[in-house]
Amino acid sequence: MRRLLSPVCPLLLALSLTSTALSAQQAGKPINWDQLRDETVRVLADYLKINTTNPPGNELQTARYLKRILDREGIEARILDTAELKPAGRANLYARLKGNGSRKAIALVHHMDVVPADPRYWSVDPFSGLLKDGYIWGRGALDMKGEGIVHLMAMIAIKRSGMPLNRDIVFIANSDEELDGSGAEVFVNRHADLIKDVEYLITAGGDNKFENGKLAYYGVGIAEKRTFWQHVVVRGTPSHGSRPTTKNPVPRLVAALDRIAKYETPLHVTPGVDKYFRDIASSYTGEQKQWLSNVAAALENPSARAWILSDVYWNAILRNTISLTGLKGSNKTNVIPAEASANLDVRLLPDADPQQFLATLQGVVGDSAVHFENELNPKPPLESPIETDFFHAIERAAHDRDPNAYVTTPMLTGATDRPTYRKLGIVTYGFDPFKVETSDAQRGVHGNDERISVANVGFGVHFLYDVLRYAQGGQTPSVTP
Ligand SMILES: [Zn+2]
């Protein structure tokens, strides 16, 4: 039944294009998915050509680009926050496709900025938007201009098809996600009224596992770690290195860091992580399957615990983590510096209390001369519910494509803008509409030769279209009469 209703069936599509063209126009126009894919590829290629390396960002250019397209399609769009965002040349963009308003809205959010790209390490110009070997190449193809254009084109396809909407669709493009997240912050602080009717929001943070052409699962981000970066400082008295002194801050810092490095944070299983392990257990056999089916119990068992924690990702989603990353003493070998400092990349579980964690860390160090300074205040905690209409819409659209695949909830160890929106009470999900090979994502995201395949762009725009269609609730709107 579902298959018959789905506009994916080429036979039905062909039929509706010929014999029922007139009624199709009245009830909604059928979509030519190949054409839509090719159009999406062209729009993405031009988007990638606009250099929004952050810093400085220059997202006003991309906001104007998106607005031109939305204007052409008759979708209300506004460029916002140009005066508030710094430095000059930045902007957020907001657009809304109106439905009948009987249910709450859905927001599609992406960021327009990209991290720097060093052309010396790329095999193509990172801002060429080049189409080569079945891929569109460019900084941002995966993170996350590709998703942004899929959001845009799925919304445009809905408008063109005349699909009746119970939920408005809101499109938001933010600046500055890659550095300070000021785009989403300013947007939420200044324009909460524009999104007060939004119930669900999707943005970066999905994690579909696709390896060697095979899908292991669709991963929807419901939770993420909270960055709580610390600058650790010890102050001393500068003097000549030829006369060792107890006022040298370097050995004192080193001793503190040694204690931190040896400290093992406690293990803790959050609800989404528990579901994730139970879901993936089905791909294992024997005792490993048993362990993953009840990870909290397995962590009590030394051999299970050692096996689970040997995976750097699993280790990171089961505890608060501390990575010692930066270290600074004197810049001259013969000078005892006035100050020694280090940087700790601390990532907290969503339900951890930052102040309590800091107190624990101070206790571990046990030296009042060692000062902890917040480099970055943690964003609000993020753990969204799983039993929602929208999550089920994702599951349904995923099963249409891969009947045996499951939709699970891996925790994101990095940070997105989702918590900024979550604090308004919006249920936010990390949803990635693509099947990108793990190796491609590892090389490309924040790395070199970032690219996305043409096939993935076509897959993504259709996938998201179906999710948005299923999420309308009630009778599933269909474009095929
Ligand atoms: Zn990024």
Side-chain angles (χ1 to χ4, degrees):
M1 194 64 184
R2 186 181 303 161
R3 180 158 292 189
L4 281 175
L5 277 171
S6 163
V8 75
C9 173
L11 185 67
L12 272 183
L13 189 63
L15 273 175
S16 59
L17 273 172
T18 52
S19 61
T20 61
L22 197 66
S23 62
Q25 220 149 32
Q26 284 157 353
K29 295 172 201 146
I31 294 166
N32 181 326
W33 293 103
D34 288 346
Q35 247 172 39
L36 182 66
R37 176 199 60 213
D38 294 345
E39 185 182 356
T40 306
V41 165
R42 284 194 301 274
V43 173
L44 174 58
D46 286 342
Y47 196 41
L48 293 176
K49 286 176 195 162
I50 306 171
N51 187 339
T52 49
T53 299
N54 184 12
N58 283 323
E59 298 94 339
L60 179 57
Q61 293 177 68
T62 37
R64 284 186 178 138
Y65 172 75
L66 296 170
K67 187 171 185 312
R68 270 201 303 277
I69 296 169
L70 289 157
D71 286 348
R72 203 173 58 211
E73 298 292 328
I75 298 172
E76 170 209 336
R78 291 161 64 180
I79 291 176
L80 302 166
D81 310 322
T82 48
E84 288 74 15
L85 290 164
K86 300 281 182 289
R90 314 199 86 161
N92 288 317
L93 176 128
Y94 160 87
R96 182 180 286 254
L97 177 60
K98 285 218 164 73
N100 61 27
S102 63
R103 305 193 72 192
K104 287 185 153 186
I106 297 168
L108 315 174
V109 178
H110 81 284
H111 63 85
M112 300 178 282
D113 59 320
V114 296
V115 292
D118 187 338
R120 285 176 303 171
Y121 305 114
W122 283 59
S123 42
V124 304
D125 171 0
F127 297 97
S128 60
L130 192 71
L131 195 62
K132 187 177 83 128
D133 307 329
Y135 287 83
I136 308 123
W137 300 64
R139 172 57 89 221
L142 295 171
D143 177 16
M144 73 172 290
K145 285 176 166 170
E147 271 167 78
I149 295 302
V150 161
H151 291 172
L152 177 78
M153 296 309 291
M155 181 170 78
I156 287 174
I158 287 172
K159 167 104 191 324
R160 290 178 186 167
S161 75
M163 183 204 290
L165 287 177
N166 296 328
R167 297 177 181 277
D168 288 8
I169 297 176
V170 172
F171 175 87
I172 298 169
N174 286 129
S175 59
D176 194 33
E177 192 265 357
E178 296 290 2
L179 272 186
D180 299 327
S182 68
E185 277 290 337
V186 168
F187 183 87
V188 164
N189 290 339
R190 299 192 67 231
H191 311 292
D193 57 310
L194 290 177
I195 49 175
K196 64 176 187 290
D197 65 331
V198 172
E199 182 171 17
Y200 300 115
L201 178 151
I202 57 168
T203 186
D207 188 12
N208 305 332
K209 194 168 181 191
F210 188 68
E211 278 172 340
N212 307 317
K214 201 173 164 292
L215 181 80
Y217 57 74
Y218 287 105
V220 174
I222 63 155
E224 68 183 43
K225 298 289 282 287
R226 300 167 76 191
T227 45
F228 188 45
W229 296 351
Q230 296 295 314
H231 188 220
V232 189
V233 188
V234 180
R235 292 181 183 91
T237 308
S239 57
H240 200 280
S242 66
R243 299 179 185 182
T245 145
T246 53
K247 306 268 173 58
N248 183 350
V250 178
R252 210 151 173 179
L253 177 73
V254 169
L257 296 177
D258 183 49
R259 280 176 223 128
I260 291 172
K262 287 185 177 132
Y263 170 59
E264 285 189 34
T265 55
L267 297 164
H268 171 60
V269 186
T270 55
V273 168
D274 187 47
K275 171 174 160 54
Y276 163 74
F277 280 114
R278 275 188 280 114
D279 287 336
I280 64 167
S282 61
S283 340
Y284 291 79
T285 54
E287 60 183 1
Q288 292 178 344
K289 182 180 189 146
Q290 210 186 330
W291 291 340
L292 296 179
S293 311
N294 185 349
V295 79
L299 292 172
E300 305 289 323
N301 165 344
S303 41
R305 179 188 158 105
W307 176 68
I308 291 166
L309 299 185
S310 68
D311 182 296
V312 291
Y313 171 66
W314 291 355
N315 177 62
I317 61 176
L318 285 165
R319 65 196 330 166
N320 302 322
T321 57
I322 310 164
S323 282
L324 169 55
T325 50
L327 197 54
K328 214 164 121 194
S330 175
N331 56 5
K332 282 196 141 160
T333 307
N334 62 354
V335 173
I336 290 172
E339 188 180 296
S341 67
N343 304 80
L344 302 180
D345 185 350
V346 175
R347 308 271 171 158
L348 302 177
L349 289 170
D351 55 0
D353 177 345
Q355 291 319 313
Q356 204 177 323
F357 183 83
L358 194 57
T360 306
L361 214 52
Q362 280 159 338
V364 166
V365 167
D367 181 350
S368 57
V370 178
H371 302 281
F372 289 86
E373 294 165 3
N374 268 4
E375 261 183 47
L376 195 67
N377 280 321
K379 290 180 180 176
L382 178 82
E383 178 119 29
S384 286
I386 301 167
E387 291 301 320
T388 65
D389 288 356
F390 197 82
F391 194 89
H392 293 311
I394 294 174
E395 284 182 317
R396 184 172 166 196
H399 289 148
D400 283 354
R401 284 151 180 81
D402 297 273
N404 299 319
Y406 52 86
V407 178
T408 189
T409 52
M411 183 184 283
L412 193 71
T413 58
T416 68
D417 280 339
R418 283 184 296 155
T420 307
Y421 289 95
R422 180 71 184 131
K423 73 180 175 195
L424 296 180
I426 300 172
V427 173
T428 72
Y429 293 118
F431 173 72
D432 173 4
F434 304 127
K435 287 178 176 176
V436 177
E437 284 284 344
T438 305
S439 55
D440 248 18
Q442 257 159 13
R443 188 194 55 241
V445 176
H446 290 212
N448 306 315
D449 283 346
E450 191 175 347
R451 60 179 196 172
I452 184 158
S453 71
V454 170
N456 244 327
V457 168
F459 177 86
V461 75
H462 197 164
F463 189 9
L464 178 60
Y465 177 93
D466 282 349
V467 170
L468 294 173
R469 184 161 65 100
Y470 292 152
Q472 296 307 312
Q475 222 184 3
T476 303
S478 168
V479 293
T480 315

